[in-house]
Amino acid sequence: MSAINSSSVETKLDGHYHIIGMRRPFIVLLVFVSCAVGALLRTILKKSHIPIIIILSLIGVLLGVVGYFVKEFRVLIEYIAEIDPILFLHMFTPVIIFTAAFEMDFYIFRKSFWQIFLLSVPGFLLNCTLIGVLTYKINKYNWNWLISMLFGVIVGTTDPILSVASVKNIGLSKIVINLIKGESLFSDATTAIVFELFRDLVSDPHTEVAKEIIIKLVLKFIASTIFGFLSSRIVKYWLSHIVNDGLTEVILSFSMTYLIFFIAEWLGMSGVISLTVLGLLLDSVSFSPGVDEFIFRFWAMLTFLAHVMIFIIIGIVIAVKTFPYVTIRDLFFILTLYLALILIRGLVVLFLSPLLSRLGYGFNCRWGAVIVWSGMRATFTLNMALGISQSKDPGIAAMKNMILLYAGTASLMTLMINSTTVKKLVTTLGLCNITLPKRMAMYSAVQRIKEMEANTCSMLKLDRFVADANWTVTEEAIKIDYPYKFDMEEASQIVRTLKCPDCNTDISDETTPQQIADILEEARLRLLTAQIASYQKQYHTGMLNQDAAQTLIGAAESCVDIRGKFMNIHEVKTYWESKGLLVSFKKLLSDWVYNVKDEKSKPAWNEIVKPCHYIVFMDEFECTSYIITLLNLIPILIDFTHLDETYIKQLKICNYYFISLYILEASLKALAMGKAYIFHHWNQFELVIIIVGLIDIMIINIFKPLHPTYHMIKTIRVFRIIRLIRVLRLLKLVIPRLINLLEKQTNKQLTVRYDIAKGYVQGEEDTKYLIEQISGYETISKEINKMMENNKQDGMKELGLMQRDYPDIVTAVKTKQVVQTVLNTATETLKVLISSGIVDKNEEAKLQKMILQKKKNLGTLPSTIAPPTAEEVLHGISWLENEKKQIEFFQKRARISYYDYGTIIYEEHKMPEGIHLIISGMTKLCGSSPRYGVAKDVYERRNPKPVPYTDYLVSGAIIGELNCLTKQEMEYTVTCETTVQTCFISMNDLFEAFDEFLECPSLEYKIWFKLALDITIKAFKEKLAYQDWSYKTCIKLPNVYVMDVPTHSKWDIYDGTMDDVILVHGSVQDCKTPQPYFAPCILPKTCYQVQGTAAVTKLLIVRTTTTMKRKSSSRCSNACGRRQATIGNAEETDGSSRHSLNSDSVQGETAMTSTEGAARMV
């Protein structure tokens, strides 16, 4: 009722009844109307070059003018015009500063720090000084020197967001963008110090200027930097304990930004510096996987809204406070001021250019022109001008409105003129020219998109629902034009460097070395970008921890700006290699602990020594020793105070007493341990304490009858201090715990080290299949491919060495990664179930909570896990899993073999004796690339220049599976890189197992199935590198089976029941067109019938349906039998047999039955 009464009262004003309530918070309405106007302008002017903020400023000016004529509106406008500058600062500055710093590239900033420092500190001060001098000379209001310098500080600073807004997406170098943004950020911090100094001098002149400057420097720079660093550590620690809770992370980043800024400003530090450090040290990897994009969008939205409010408020303030005082002469001064700002900034950059060119990434006049022209005055200039206009100090009352007018209009002019023309300037200077290699890369990308569109249209034409669509209109609607325009010479160059569609070789033979170098450089940059994307993807999937991802991304970004620089494992190692201090310290402490911890000598039969041994090695004896040491600390501390002679005598007696106890303890230990006593470090240390204590007693008693001199007193005081070393006896309790902490930290570092190496190798594998698309030039593709293969092998070797040196840590890392992969698959499966409507929202929440809890529990897994034994490794083989009879069969026949470093297990071109399952150690494979069943003469014709094959295998890998299955000679030599332990299964035992375990799925079939999956995934990654096959493989696994295609037999494929057919071993020929296909290969969907042309040919079939009929084991034996050359019965037609792989055939059904077991096995 009270609310209703209040509302009814509000509608009655001045004796009149009003339908609309008059007393409403219209300031809230103005805020959201401003946001809506900003969104409207962003929509309308999206393709226009007109700055939105200029229009918003004019809207603010218009609102201020309207306030003069509308009485009801005037109160609101005047309220806004009197906004507190401190509130203005704390509302908008944190958003702009944090966003600018968060978007900066930390590694580029680190290298160009001194360039930024020169521009933002001495450059800014010189800029302000020159502006102040000019203002002092030409200003009509007779401002004094301090006011003129204050005005120079106000208009000298630049905005870190708006200065780069017009150039960051037009192809300008990241180095220049970071220079502009870094200069703005740090000049804003310099501005805060200088502005406060001159403002205080203007309002309250004093003589302690030097003292004030020193205090402000310490607080604003040193203290602020430390505070920002500590804040970043706190935020990172907090974020590390938040798992996949994007809302909490966004709220944390938002609240901590404002909180840190407020605390810094409240304590007299610089909130700008603190937030700059915070933003630089945080990056996308600091947040949970998948949250980074939302974080960037959130802060971009806040920045836009902040600029909307800033310029509307400033427009209102300028209109209300300055328009009544504007004259024609002021307009001329504003124009002069704008020109002076540009000219003076240019002179400063020119003056500093000799130094800038020798620092960081270098410097040139074109960069300088862009830096000069992109210096937009906005937030900080307007905030300081607003603070002056609101000041109540009588010393600046006469000129405060003029400062606001000049600063505000100068800022608007830089935004109106500079921001709209800087893009043209950059283009004119040639800083964003699209080079020929970039045009070629874009051409290749467009061609790739067109190819995929054509393939999609071909598939859709087979769809019964859309087959009758108007394909002419469709082809016109999906046509993508090339975005860059060529001149005739460039067009001819592009055409000359394209690949021949028939032989897939480069047509061009006219490419110059310089053009090749340019193409290689462009390919290098795109390759680094692809590697960074791979590392980010690995982090998002949980395969990389935060530290490893940041290290790899930083290493890649540090190579971007070094021409010709590629990543390699040897340089990546420099990011994780410890200087040895931590390890050495841990080793030193371990030596001490090992010499005192549970090391008991055998008691002698001597009746005197035997009780001593019993006493010394009692736990109570150690506890008594610690208690004595603690009690001894009390008189030592009391001795440092001024006491009477009586107390001094008692302290001497206490000293004698404790020394006697130490001697007694040492004597008992010596009797109990015998000769071993002196070799223990702790015992040696205790003897040193006793000796020093006895010397202390002797000196005191010798000096006592003598007349004390200065040197005697100093000596006694020194020994009194030395008594404190007795407390170090308590380190016996501390050191074991300290070693545990060091052990955990060392394990963490080693875990990160392994993650970095594994992430690097995975990145090389991910980008290897993109090389051809990235370079578009065969010669360069081969060169890059060779280099990346060498880098990958170096990375694999590093992984193997780490597994040899730290097997328990590597096992723990692998275990965590397996758990993470499985949980990722569970998450993807849940998403599919939700999208298909099988699971509702409530069920989703429960399941998601369970999965998230499992992911959180990953942090509780031990940092070290014992590596599996030989028996456990045997149980872990995919084709033996959960098959007790088969495992027992091989346990009885397998034998453990040991090999030294350099031993050759298998030699190239020799038949294998069996398979080796690596239990520990690392082996190197060196020889020719696997032929996968392709005839040797055919393979040599297709690859006249064979590429050397090198690989490294570690524990868990199997050597010789495929060669034993096909009874072919080894294609590579296997050498031990370390001491190696293997579980050996002879070929005779393997084939005996094949004959014994024929039930579906047979043992031989399961091995083929495992090998086929491995080859298929590699083929998919190579041919369809842009797709993610990890989850797709898990989805398709139940519908996958392996089929045998005997020589000269014809088989139907792609009959409507198959998604994909992959040739995993051997070779086939298209029966319609005599096109041969060689393994590994994804058979095209235009191929409907194939004929086997190799001795052993295997196809992996991916069915479209998930329904599978179960058949008897007698039928399954036809698909799984090793001895049978064909599957099922075949009819002979014209000397060749023809078979169908469709779902109605017995062969397909029996094969699917066998696949069920294999799928469960995998």
Side-chain angles (χ1 to χ4, degrees):
M1 288 296 294
S2 60
I4 296 175
N5 292 336
S6 175
S7 178
S8 62
V9 170
E10 289 181 8
T11 58
K12 295 182 180 181
L13 298 173
D14 301 328
H16 300 283
Y17 184 81
H18 296 274
I19 299 297
I20 301 176
M22 302 300 292
R23 295 180 181 176
R24 291 291 182 266
F26 285 101
I27 186 68
V28 177
L29 177 64
L30 179 62
V31 170
F32 289 101
V33 168
S34 301
C35 296
V37 171
L40 178 63
L41 291 174
R42 187 179 176 87
T43 303
I44 297 173
L45 303 176
K46 190 171 185 178
K47 297 183 179 180
S48 174
H49 297 294
I50 302 174
I52 296 175
I53 51 182
I54 296 296
I55 300 177
L56 293 172
S57 301
L58 297 178
I59 291 174
V61 171
L62 181 62
L63 292 175
V65 173
V66 171
Y68 279 105
F69 303 100
V70 181
K71 179 181 178 182
E72 291 81 1
F73 200 59
R74 185 183 304 167
V75 176
L76 175 61
I77 294 301
E78 291 179 350
Y79 178 77
I80 295 174
E82 295 297 330
I83 185 172
D84 186 0
I86 303 299
L87 176 63
F88 188 91
L89 174 73
H90 284 72
M91 281 178 60
F92 303 120
T93 302
V95 174
I96 294 170
I97 294 299
F98 179 78
T99 303
F102 188 57
E103 291 177 351
M104 284 189 70
D105 190 314
F106 175 76
Y107 294 92
I108 294 179
F109 166 79
R110 184 173 64 180
K111 186 169 182 179
S112 57
F113 171 78
W114 290 110
Q115 291 176 305
I116 293 173
F117 178 81
L118 275 178
L119 289 170
S120 59
V121 180
F124 171 77
L125 294 176
L126 182 58
N127 192 42
C128 296
T129 302
L130 294 177
I131 295 174
V133 171
L134 179 66
T135 305
Y136 181 75
K137 294 293 184 181
I138 69 173
N139 189 267
K140 68 173 184 176
Y141 296 104
N142 296 323
W143 291 350
N144 59 31
W145 169 248
L146 292 177
I147 295 177
S148 299
M149 285 299 301
L150 181 65
F151 180 73
V153 172
I154 292 174
V155 297
T157 187
T158 56
D159 189 281
I161 295 293
L162 298 179
S163 294
V164 299
S166 301
V167 296
K168 66 178 181 180
N169 293 323
I170 62 174
L172 184 63
S173 171
K174 280 186 177 181
I175 301 172
V176 184
I177 293 175
N178 277 268
L179 278 177
I180 297 171
K181 191 178 290 187
E183 182 221 354
S184 298
L185 282 170
F186 282 87
S187 64
D188 292 339
T190 309
T191 299
I193 300 175
V194 181
F195 174 75
E196 290 180 10
L197 177 64
F198 279 99
R199 185 189 59 187
D200 295 343
L201 290 175
V202 170
S203 59
D204 184 21
H206 56 277
T207 58
E208 298 181 347
V209 178
K211 180 180 178 181
E212 183 179 355
I213 291 175
I214 294 173
I215 293 174
K216 286 185 180 296
L217 284 175
V218 172
L219 287 175
K220 299 292 185 180
F221 280 103
I222 301 175
S224 300
T225 302
I226 296 173
F227 179 67
F229 173 77
L230 295 177
S231 300
S232 69
R233 303 300 296 179
I234 294 173
V235 173
K236 280 187 174 182
Y237 178 79
W238 195 340
L239 288 171
S240 65
H241 288 75
I242 302 175
V243 181
N244 290 341
D245 191 351
L247 182 61
T248 302
E249 295 184 42
V250 171
I251 293 173
L252 176 62
S253 67
F254 177 72
S255 58
M256 290 301 291
T257 296
Y258 275 89
L259 186 62
I260 290 168
F261 183 84
F262 180 86
I263 293 175
E265 292 291 329
W266 182 39
L267 297 177
M269 297 182 290
S270 172
V272 175
I273 290 289
S274 297
L275 284 187
T276 299
V277 174
L278 175 68
L280 285 171
L281 296 179
L282 292 180
D283 52 23
S284 59
V285 183
S286 302
F287 298 89
S288 296
V291 181
D292 53 339
E293 184 177 355
F294 181 63
I295 288 285
F296 279 112
R297 291 181 179 273
F298 173 77
W299 283 102
M301 177 202 69
L302 288 183
T303 303
F304 176 74
L305 295 180
H307 280 123
V308 167
M309 296 306 304
I310 287 171
F311 283 94
I312 287 183
I313 291 173
I314 290 301
I316 293 174
V317 172
I318 291 176
V320 171
K321 294 198 171 187
T322 66
F323 275 17
Y325 310 101
V326 176
T327 63
I328 298 298
R329 188 175 179 180
D330 290 321
L331 298 179
F332 282 106
F333 181 77
I334 291 170
L335 179 60
T336 304
L337 175 64
Y338 167 74
L339 296 175
L341 290 177
I342 303 299
L343 179 61
I344 290 173
R345 184 171 170 82
L347 291 174
V348 170
V349 172
L350 180 63
F351 176 75
L352 295 175
S353 58
L355 287 175
L356 294 172
S357 62
R358 288 169 172 78
L359 299 172
Y361 294 98
F363 198 77
N364 57 62
C365 58
R366 295 188 299 167
W367 287 11
V370 174
I371 290 174
V372 170
W373 198 252
S374 62
M376 313 296 171
R377 276 70 174 176
T379 306
F380 282 88
T381 297
L382 299 174
N383 182 71
M384 289 184 290
L386 181 64
I388 293 296
S389 69
Q390 304 286 28
S391 176
K392 304 300 182 182
D393 298 328
I396 58 175
M399 50 72 188
K400 60 182 181 180
N401 291 329
M402 289 299 99
I403 288 179
L404 177 62
L405 173 65
Y406 296 153
T409 51
S411 300
L412 295 179
M413 289 187 70
T414 58
L415 294 170
M416 187 181 303
I417 299 174
N418 295 35
S419 64
T420 55
T421 57
V422 68
K423 182 177 180 180
K424 181 66 176 177
L425 174 66
V426 172
T427 305
T428 304
L429 294 174
L431 290 174
C432 61
N433 287 345
I434 308 301
T435 60
L436 180 60
K438 289 186 178 181
R439 293 169 185 263
M440 293 177 62
M442 178 61 76
Y443 183 85
S444 300
V446 172
Q447 292 298 106
R448 183 69 179 176
I449 293 173
K450 288 182 177 181
E451 179 185 344
M452 295 306 299
E453 286 183 342
N455 294 340
T456 305
C457 287
S458 300
M459 293 299 298
L460 290 175
K461 287 178 181 179
L462 302 176
D463 193 321
R464 59 180 177 176
F465 293 108
V466 297
D468 58 344
N470 190 321
W471 295 104
T472 303
V473 176
T474 301
E475 290 174 1
E476 187 64 28
I478 65 175
K479 184 178 180 181
I480 297 179
D481 296 326
Y482 184 71
Y484 302 139
K485 294 182 179 180
F486 286 118
D487 55 32
M488 294 303 295
E489 182 180 354
E490 288 177 331
S492 62
Q493 182 64 37
I494 287 288
V495 172
R496 288 199 301 269
T497 55
L498 294 179
K499 292 181 179 296
C500 174
D502 297 326
C503 60
N504 198 36
T505 58
D506 290 335
I507 297 174
S508 174
D509 57 356
E510 304 176 15
T511 309
T512 64
Q514 182 59 43
Q515 289 172 336
I516 291 178
D518 292 340
I519 296 172
L520 178 61
E521 177 64 15
E522 183 63 27
R524 182 189 72 87
L525 294 175
R526 294 179 183 271
L527 184 66
L528 289 171
T529 302
Q531 288 174 327
I532 292 173
S534 173
Y535 303 146
Q536 291 174 336
K537 179 182 176 182
Q538 292 179 59
Y539 172 70
H540 290 163
T541 56
M543 294 297 100
L544 279 182
N545 61 35
Q546 187 181 102
D547 293 334
Q550 287 176 332
T551 300
L552 287 170
I553 292 173
E557 289 180 342
S558 65
C559 295
V560 169
D561 297 297
I562 304 175
R563 186 175 179 85
K565 185 70 173 179
F566 289 88
M567 285 185 66
N568 61 72
I569 191 64
H570 303 293
E571 294 194 359
V572 174
K573 284 172 64 176
T574 60
Y575 287 85
W576 78 58
E577 284 181 340
S578 172
K579 295 182 179 179
L581 180 62
L582 190 65
V583 177
S584 301
F585 185 53
K586 176 196 165 189
K587 185 177 182 301
L588 177 64
L589 294 180
S590 299
D591 289 340
W592 283 76
V593 171
Y594 293 149
N595 286 332
V596 298
K597 191 176 181 181
D598 297 331
E599 295 187 9
K600 302 180 181 180
S601 304
K602 293 183 179 180
W605 293 104
N606 190 299
E607 295 297 330
I608 299 176
V609 177
K610 188 174 181 180
C612 294
H613 186 281
Y614 176 76
I615 294 172
V616 166
F617 290 103
M618 291 175 58
D619 292 336
E620 290 81 358
F621 183 83
E622 284 291 322
C623 293
T624 304
S625 176
Y626 298 143
I627 293 172
I628 291 172
T629 303
L630 284 173
L631 293 175
N632 191 191
L633 180 61
I634 298 174
I636 290 175
L637 295 177
I638 294 175
D639 198 21
F640 283 96
T641 61
H642 297 285
L643 300 172
D644 295 336
E645 187 66 26
T646 305
Y647 294 107
I648 293 176
K649 291 181 180 180
Q650 297 299 324
L651 290 176
K652 286 182 180 180
I653 295 173
C654 287
N655 188 31
Y656 299 157
Y657 172 74
F658 284 109
I659 288 295
S660 302
L661 290 178
Y662 295 153
I663 294 173
L664 177 61
E665 178 189 0
S667 301
L668 290 174
K669 288 182 177 180
L671 288 173
M673 302 175 68
K675 295 179 180 179
Y677 171 79
I678 196 64
F679 297 106
H680 289 244
H681 293 150
W682 275 114
N683 296 338
Q684 295 170 2
F685 179 67
E686 290 171 354
L687 285 176
V688 170
I689 291 177
I690 293 173
I691 293 171
V692 171
L694 293 175
I695 294 174
D696 180 24
I697 294 173
M698 291 173 59
I699 288 175
I700 292 175
N701 287 284
I702 291 173
F703 289 168
K704 182 178 180 181
L706 302 177
H707 180 71
T709 63
Y710 173 78
H711 295 291
M712 291 181 183
I713 295 174
K714 290 291 291 184
T715 304
I716 293 173
R717 288 179 178 177
V718 168
F719 274 92
R720 185 183 299 172
I721 295 173
I722 292 177
R723 291 179 191 173
L724 291 172
I725 66 172
R726 301 178 189 179
V727 183
L728 297 180
R729 288 163 51 91
L730 297 175
L731 289 178
K732 282 185 181 181
L733 293 172
V734 178
I735 286 180
R737 291 167 177 80
L738 183 58
I739 288 177
N740 290 334
L741 292 176
L742 292 175
E743 185 75 27
K744 290 181 180 179
Q745 187 64 26
T746 305
N747 290 345
K748 182 180 178 181
Q749 291 179 354
L750 293 172
T751 300
V752 173
R753 173 181 170 181
Y754 184 84
D755 268 347
I756 291 172
K758 184 178 181 299
Y760 173 79
V761 172
Q762 185 63 49
E764 297 297 291
E765 290 184 349
D766 292 343
T767 53
K768 174 184 176 182
Y769 304 113
L770 300 172
I771 294 174
E772 186 174 348
Q773 302 175 35
I774 288 173
S775 66
Y777 197 85
E778 187 177 8
T779 305
I780 293 176
S781 297
K782 289 182 178 179
E783 182 179 346
I784 297 178
N785 190 38
K786 181 180 178 181
M787 179 195 62
M788 292 191 65
E789 186 63 27
N790 292 335
N791 290 342
K792 174 191 168 185
Q793 300 310 326
D794 291 340
M796 289 295 298
K797 183 176 181 180
E798 190 67 31
L799 287 174
L801 294 176
M802 280 189 277
Q803 182 151 0
R804 177 200 66 181
D805 297 334
Y806 314 104
D808 49 351
I809 295 175
V810 173
T811 303
V813 174
K814 289 182 177 181
T815 303
K816 291 180 182 179
Q817 290 180 345
V818 168
V819 175
Q820 182 70 56
T821 303
V822 175
L823 292 177
N824 289 341
T825 305
T827 303
E828 293 294 329
T829 305
L830 180 58
K831 290 179 181 178
V832 173
L833 295 175
I834 295 169
S835 61
S836 59
I838 299 176
V839 175
D840 60 22
K841 292 294 181 182
N842 294 330
E843 295 166 339
E844 173 205 357
K846 294 179 180 179
L847 292 173
Q848 189 69 30
K849 184 178 180 181
M850 293 171 61
I851 295 174
L852 284 177
Q853 185 59 45
K854 294 294 183 182
K855 289 185 177 182
K856 290 180 180 179
N857 293 341
L858 277 175
T860 63
L861 292 179
S863 59
T864 57
I865 298 177
T869 61
E871 183 177 351
E872 291 172 341
V873 172
L874 195 62
H875 279 77
I877 299 177
S878 57
W879 39 266
L880 288 180
E881 190 174 7
N882 299 326
E883 297 290 345
K884 293 183 179 180
K885 293 182 179 179
Q886 297 177 14
I887 293 174
E888 290 174 357
F889 176 88
F890 286 114
Q891 281 181 338
K892 293 178 181 178
R893 289 163 174 78
R895 69 173 188 265
I896 303 299
S897 301
Y898 298 90
Y899 300 94
D900 292 331
Y901 169 76
T903 304
I904 297 177
I905 300 178
Y906 285 131
E907 288 189 26
E908 189 177 4
H909 306 310
K910 289 190 177 181
M911 289 296 296
E913 298 177 357
I915 62 174
H916 284 270
L917 173 61
I918 302 177
I919 299 172
S920 64
M922 178 177 64
T923 61
K924 179 180 180 180
L925 281 57
C926 188
S928 56
S929 299
R931 300 198 308 268
Y932 296 109
V934 180
K936 187 175 182 180
D937 56 340
V938 176
Y939 182 84
E940 289 176 352
R941 286 199 305 270
R942 296 181 65 242
N943 301 275
K945 295 181 179 180
V947 179
Y949 173 75
T950 305
D951 199 359
Y952 292 89
L953 298 180
V954 294
S955 60
I958 302 177
I959 308 173
E961 276 178 306
L962 184 58
N963 300 85
C964 287
L965 278 176
T966 58
K967 291 186 176 180
Q968 293 181 348
E969 61 185 23
M970 298 296 293
E971 297 159 325
Y972 44 78
T973 299
V974 182
T975 310
C976 297
E977 287 290 300
T978 64
T979 302
V980 176
Q981 179 186 7
T982 68
C983 177
F984 176 72
I985 301 174
S986 68
M987 187 180 293
N988 293 333
D989 293 336
L990 186 65
F991 277 76
E992 182 182 346
F994 290 167
D995 292 330
E996 182 170 344
F997 302 106
L998 292 173
E999 59 204 28
C1000 252
S1002 71
L1003 178 62
E1004 182 182 9
Y1005 176 84
K1006 288 191 293 183
I1007 297 178
W1008 270 115
F1009 186 78
K1010 177 253 185 183
L1011 292 172
L1013 280 179
D1014 185 32
I1015 297 170
T1016 298
I1017 292 175
K1018 291 180 180 178
F1020 273 134
K1021 286 184 177 180
E1022 182 175 359
K1023 303 300 181 183
L1024 303 172
Y1026 50 87
Q1027 297 188 25
D1028 181 13
W1029 289 99
S1030 57
Y1031 178 70
K1032 293 181 181 180
T1033 304
C1034 296
I1035 293 294
K1036 294 177 179 290
L1037 189 59
N1039 299 331
V1040 174
Y1041 61 96
V1042 178
M1043 298 299 291
D1044 184 30
V1045 181
T1047 308
H1048 306 305
S1049 296
K1050 296 180 180 179
W1051 297 85
D1052 295 334
I1053 59 175
Y1054 291 121
D1055 56 357
T1057 64
M1058 304 176 190
D1059 276 342
D1060 293 290
V1061 179
I1062 300 92
L1063 177 62
V1064 295
H1065 193 272
S1067 58
V1068 296
Q1069 185 177 13
D1070 191 341
C1071 295
K1072 185 178 180 180
T1073 63
Q1075 171 68 38
Y1077 298 100
F1078 304 95
C1081 173
I1082 304 173
L1083 297 182
K1085 296 185 185 297
T1086 56
C1087 181
Y1088 297 103
Q1089 191 180 66
V1090 295
Q1091 178 179 344
T1093 58
V1096 179
T1097 300
K1098 297 288 183 179
L1099 297 179
L1100 187 135
I1101 313 296
V1102 182
R1103 287 172 60 105
T1104 56
T1105 178
T1106 58
T1107 58
M1108 296 171 288
K1109 292 184 178 181
R1110 298 182 179 273
K1111 298 296 178 181
S1112 63
S1113 60
S1114 61
R1115 285 185 176 180
C1116 182
S1117 63
N1118 292 330
C1120 299
R1122 176 181 59 84
R1123 300 292 183 231
Q1124 297 183 5
T1126 60
I1127 303 174
N1129 298 322
E1131 296 181 358
E1132 297 293 334
T1133 306
D1134 298 330
S1136 64
S1137 52
R1138 176 178 176 177
H1139 304 271
S1140 173
L1141 301 183
N1142 60 34
S1143 59
D1144 296 330
S1145 67
V1146 172
Q1147 290 81 8
E1149 291 175 347
T1150 56
M1152 286 304 299
T1153 307
S1154 66
T1155 306
E1156 289 181 5
R1160 289 194 298 272
M1161 172 267 294
V1162 177

